[in-house]
Amino acid sequence: MTKLSVNINKIATLRNSRGGDVPNVVQFAKDVQRFGAEGVTIHPRPDERHIRYQDARDLKPIVYTEYNIEGNPVKSFLDLVLQVKPTQVTLVPDAEDAITSNAGWDTIKNKDFLVDVIKEFQNNGIRTSIFVDPILKQIEGAKATGTDRIELYTEAFAHQYGLGDENAIKPYAESATLANDLGLGVNAGHDLSLDNIRFFKENIPNLLEVSIGHALIAESLYLGIENVIQMYLRKLK
Ligand SMILES: CC(=O)[C@@H](O)[C@H](O)COP(=O)(O)O
Ligand SMILES: NCC(=O)COP(=O)(O)O
C-alpha cells in the first residue's frame, strides 16, 4: 500500500500573498486528512516564503496521520524538527535561492554529515528519509548513511513521461529494487500528478509513500480538493 501525503506548501504561498490568514493552513491540513490523505508534508525553507517555522509547530497537534517535514538540515531546521518531532523528516539538499528542490543528495560525498544528522533524528524517535536521484551508487551510499528510507526525486520521470517516454521509469524501478534489497524503505516525490501517478506506482516495487503538492493543488482548482484526494487514492490502490 502506498500512502498519499499531501504537501501543503502552496496553501501557505497563497496565504502569504495577502499577508493575512486566508486560506488557513491548519484548517486545510485538517480537511485534507478528513478527505482521506494519509499524511501531511511541509517543506519550510529558510526564507519562510511559504510554510513558516511557526506553521510547523501549529500543525503538530492536529496532524494525526503521518507528519513529514522536508528540508535542508541547516541548524535552524534541525532545531525545528527536533522540537516538533514529526513522524518523518526528509532531508533535501536544496540551495536557499532554488525555486524548488532540484537535485538529490550526493550520498557518498556527504556521508559523514548525513550519518551524524540522521543519527540525531533517529535518537529522537523521528524516522528519516533522504532525497536522492535514481542512481544505484547513490542508493548504496544512502544505505551507508543509516537512513530508514529514501525519497526518489521524480522530476526527471515526470518530465520524460509527460513527453511520452515510458522508459523514464527504468532507473526508478531499478533504484527501488536495490533499495528494497538493501532494506531501505522507498518514498517518492516531485512533480507527481494525476497523469503520471498510476504508471509510477505500478512500476515501483514496494512504494511506501508519495508526497504530492504542486500538481495536486493545481488539479484541485478545477476538480475540488476532496475529489482530487479520492482520485489519487484510487490510483494508488
Ligand atoms: C522535496 C520536494 O521535491 C518537494 O518538497 C518540493 O521541494 C516542494 O517544495 P516547494 O513547494 O518549495 O517547491
Ligand atoms: N517531496 C515532494 C513533495 O512534497 C511535493 O513535491 P511537488 O508535488 O510539489 O512537486
Side-chain angles (χ1 to χ4, degrees):
M1 133 131 197
T2 306
K3 285 190 174 172
L4 171 67
S5 185
V6 173
N7 182 319
I8 60 171
N9 287 354
K10 284 292 178 305
I11 302 307
T13 307
L14 189 56
R15 174 198 62 191
N16 297 353
S17 69
R18 279 288 177 97
D21 195 27
V22 176
N24 182 283
V25 165
V26 167
Q27 187 59 48
F28 194 80
K30 284 181 183 168
D31 290 337
V32 295
Q33 293 175 104
R34 188 161 54 85
F35 298 150
E38 294 146 322
V40 173
T41 290
I42 57 169
H43 188 142
R45 292 180 182 269
D47 61 7
E48 300 190 284
R49 63 177 181 262
H50 42 56
I51 287 291
R52 301 180 184 131
Y53 278 31
Q54 189 55 43
D55 293 322
R57 296 185 196 99
D58 294 344
L59 286 162
K60 170 71 177 178
I62 65 96
V63 178
Y64 57 84
T65 57
E66 292 223 354
Y67 189 14
N68 177 41
I69 304 186
E70 303 189 332
N72 195 335
V74 295
K75 171 94 174 65
S76 55
F77 179 84
L78 229 116
D79 291 346
L80 176 74
V81 174
L82 291 174
Q83 182 194 8
V84 172
K85 290 196 173 36
T87 323
Q88 174 177 271
V89 61
T90 301
L91 308 180
V92 185
D94 43 8
E96 257 190 59
D97 57 353
I99 292 175
T100 186
S101 311
N102 53 15
W105 286 98
D106 184 330
T107 56
I108 298 154
K109 259 199 197 143
N110 294 287
K111 180 184 167 195
D112 292 345
F113 171 71
L114 288 169
V115 164
D116 287 349
V117 289
I118 284 168
K119 209 178 293 160
E120 175 89 22
F121 288 129
Q122 290 172 338
N123 286 343
N124 282 275
I126 303 165
R127 190 174 73 220
T128 62
S129 180
I130 59 176
F131 198 56
V132 286
D133 292 294
I135 299 170
L136 297 184
K137 71 174 197 286
Q138 295 300 340
I139 309 299
E140 281 162 4
K143 176 65 183 175
T145 67
T147 189
D148 302 296
R149 293 189 185 184
I150 54 166
E151 176 175 324
L152 292 171
Y153 172 38
T154 49
E155 193 271 344
F157 158 75
H159 180 71
Q160 287 303 116
Y161 181 76
L163 298 175
D165 178 11
E166 294 198 348
N167 284 326
I169 198 69
K170 273 194 181 152
Y172 292 88
E174 286 168 11
S175 296
T177 300
L178 175 62
N180 286 332
D181 290 348
L182 294 173
L184 290 168
V186 178
N187 297 341
H190 205 91
D191 281 345
L192 294 174
S193 72
L194 282 174
D195 291 335
N196 59 35
I197 192 65
R198 176 167 283 154
F199 182 79
F200 189 80
K201 151 81 184 164
E202 280 174 354
N203 286 280
I204 300 300
N206 209 13
L207 179 62
L208 297 176
E209 177 186 298
V210 288
S211 48
I212 309 183
H214 184 76
L216 185 150
I217 301 301
E219 289 152 354
S220 299
L221 295 176
Y222 290 93
L223 303 171
I225 182 69
E226 181 170 7
N227 186 31
V228 163
I229 288 173
Q230 290 301 314
M231 290 168 81
Y232 274 98
L233 293 176
R234 282 199 293 277
K235 287 173 189 281
L236 286 167
K237 264 197 188 134

